[in-house]
Amino acid sequence: MKIAGATALVTGANRGLGRALAAELLARGATVYAGARDPGAIDLPGAIPVALDITDPASIAAAVATAGDVTLLVNNAGSPPTADVLTGDLDVIRREFDTHVFGTLAVTRAFAPRIAANGGGSVLNILSVLSWVSFPHLGAYSAAKSAEWSMTNALRQQLASEGVHVAGLHVGYMDTDMAAGVDAPKSAPADVARIAIDGVEADLPEILADDVSRHVQAGLAGGVAALYASA
């Protein structure tokens, strides 16, 4: 899709990758609604703040009423990894699924008909390399992101006939608050945002933002033994 002249909603746009995505879209000539639970946290010049909690149906409905002219939905809002699947609090694990899976789905279901009615456009789901590989201390997050990846693939097929293209972005560590305690190479959010929006403009179904994602994707063909040393 053409970004210049498009109208986008970016969820979780108050910081990190979400803010970088909103800034990239603005720089390319899009009108941008910047969604956040606290719209007062939006400090990006040119963006239109929108109150949006993706786990709250009433908040989603209000956002649709405000931003009904959207042609690009960027499902970026998420929560940091907080639990493993064996010993983690089940309420915490449910919260990760409520955010990454059910929240993303609820926002997409609400906005996809509007995008179609506005002449078509795109949905971009921000996934993760952890959609494809899991580690014990990140098990709940990985499981939720894997479910979101599968959901993205289903939505792509269902919405194609409505003129709504669906893409997924896979990325490893980024230099954001979520990865502040990680001692590993990290991508700059602005670089990832540029790659992501390039992919949307090219109508790619899957966008890989870094070498880590490309390496893990290639390893999927080798099965469990190719990705896990203990297999």
Side-chain angles (χ1 to χ4, degrees):
M1 71 175 290
K2 184 178 179 181
I3 297 301
T7 300
L9 168 65
V10 181
T11 68
N14 55 310
R15 61 181 180 177
L17 179 60
R19 189 181 189 281
L21 286 162
E24 182 68 21
L25 288 163
L26 285 167
R28 297 195 191 200
T31 297
V32 177
Y33 293 104
R37 283 178 291 183
D38 175 11
I42 301 296
D43 63 353
L44 184 63
I48 304 167
V50 174
L52 178 56
D53 178 349
I54 69 169
T55 65
D56 179 357
S59 179
I60 295 171
V64 171
T66 298
D69 55 340
V70 159
T71 55
L72 170 61
L73 169 63
V74 181
N75 284 312
N76 167 77
S79 58
T82 53
D84 69 69
V85 293
L86 187 61
T87 64
D89 187 310
L90 283 176
D91 285 339
V92 173
I93 294 172
R94 288 189 184 95
R95 186 160 59 244
E96 296 209 27
F97 274 80
D98 282 343
T99 301
H100 296 287
V101 183
F102 298 111
T104 296
L105 178 58
V107 174
T108 302
R109 285 167 57 130
F111 276 95
R114 294 300 184 100
I115 295 173
N118 291 332
S122 296
V123 174
L124 173 63
N125 289 340
I126 306 304
L127 304 173
S128 170
V129 69
L130 294 174
S131 306
W132 293 331
V133 64
S134 300
F135 301 101
H137 64 294
L138 303 172
Y141 182 90
S142 296
K145 282 296 183 182
S146 183
E148 188 182 359
W149 172 48
S150 180
M151 180 179 72
T152 298
N153 292 333
L155 289 169
R156 182 181 303 115
Q157 298 172 72
Q158 289 184 277
L159 290 174
S161 63
E162 303 296 323
V164 181
H165 178 78
V166 178
L169 172 76
H170 294 269
V171 61
Y173 291 123
M174 289 181 288
D175 191 12
T176 64
D177 292 345
M178 188 180 294
V182 176
D183 183 16
K186 302 173 187 176
S187 299
D191 291 339
V192 175
R194 174 180 48 79
I195 292 167
I197 303 308
D198 281 347
V200 171
E201 284 211 290
D203 291 328
L204 297 180
E206 203 154 60
I207 305 162
L208 279 62
D210 54 16
D211 288 340
V212 172
S213 298
R214 285 183 281 272
H215 174 75
V216 173
Q217 186 196 55
L220 292 174
V224 171
L227 295 175
Y228 301 98
S230 60

